[in-house]
Amino acid sequence: MSHDCACPRYSSDLQTAEDVLNRYRVGLTIAATLGPIAETDGGLKLLQCRICGQFWQESADHCHRRALYQIPPTTPDNWRERPFPDQVKIASLRSMLRELGDEQGPEQCREPGCTRLRVRLSLFCAKHHYVRNLGGVLHNDDNMPDEFHS
């Protein structure tokens, strides 16, 4: 049995749906040295490497593919109270919103209070097109990619 962990090889953040899929594919390799610490009612999991001590968070995309990503050190109580942003959902949503194209206007989004420009072939900006036309639910902006915050 190897005494090495996979943590150094998989330290990059998840940025796109392709990153999520790639991380899903190597999940068993990463998980081989991880031990569970805590879980939220929403399905997020907190894990820690038994070899190097690196903390990991695990969540699933809209296809229920679970992926692991590194997070800063935390305690189970702090993590349960405020888990780290869900990189899997953010990366998947970022890819989906980018497929809608640039917010080019010239008209503004029709969502009341939104000052963003609309995407081509829609009355809404990418974020509100997702919510209104694609059945998207945004419980909070923590799962919205930074570049799509209003």
Side-chain angles (χ1 to χ4, degrees):
M1 178 174 128
S2 171
H3 293 287
D4 294 330
C5 63
C7 297
R9 292 191 310 257
Y10 301 105
S11 61
S12 61
D13 288 343
L14 304 177
Q15 297 293 322
T16 65
E18 184 177 355
D19 293 343
V20 172
L21 183 58
N22 290 335
R23 192 64 62 86
Y24 164 75
R25 290 178 177 150
V26 297
L28 292 176
T29 299
I30 298 169
T33 62
L34 303 184
I37 297 176
E39 188 170 350
T40 67
D41 292 338
L44 290 175
K45 294 182 180 179
L46 175 65
L47 304 102
Q48 187 174 19
C49 180
R50 292 184 295 274
I51 295 173
C52 74
Q54 174 63 53
F55 284 87
W56 293 79
Q57 186 166 283
E58 181 187 57
S59 60
D61 67 6
H62 61 282
C63 294
H64 307 289
R65 292 179 293 226
R66 299 199 68 80
L68 292 154
Y69 45 95
Q70 294 183 9
I71 59 172
T74 187
T75 65
D77 288 338
N78 287 342
W79 180 82
R80 277 188 200 96
E81 185 176 313
R82 182 97 173 129
F84 288 90
D86 186 337
Q87 286 187 28
V88 172
K89 285 193 172 105
I90 293 169
S92 297
L93 183 55
R94 175 180 288 119
S95 291
M96 185 184 307
L97 293 175
R98 284 182 179 165
E99 286 181 20
L100 293 173
D102 292 336
E103 293 174 345
Q104 59 191 18
E107 300 86 3
Q108 282 191 316
C109 173
R110 292 254 181 111
E111 180 71 20
C114 183
T115 59
R116 298 179 72 106
L117 297 177
R118 68 175 185 84
V119 294
R120 189 172 172 259
L121 303 177
S122 178
L123 298 173
F124 302 99
C125 67
K127 174 181 174 179
H128 293 114
H129 180 88
Y130 168 73
V131 171
R132 291 197 171 237
N133 299 312
L134 301 175
V137 177
L138 298 175
H139 299 292
N140 60 51
D141 270 355
D142 285 350
N143 290 333
M144 179 57 63
D146 287 341
E147 63 269 31
F148 292 98
H149 278 252
S150 294

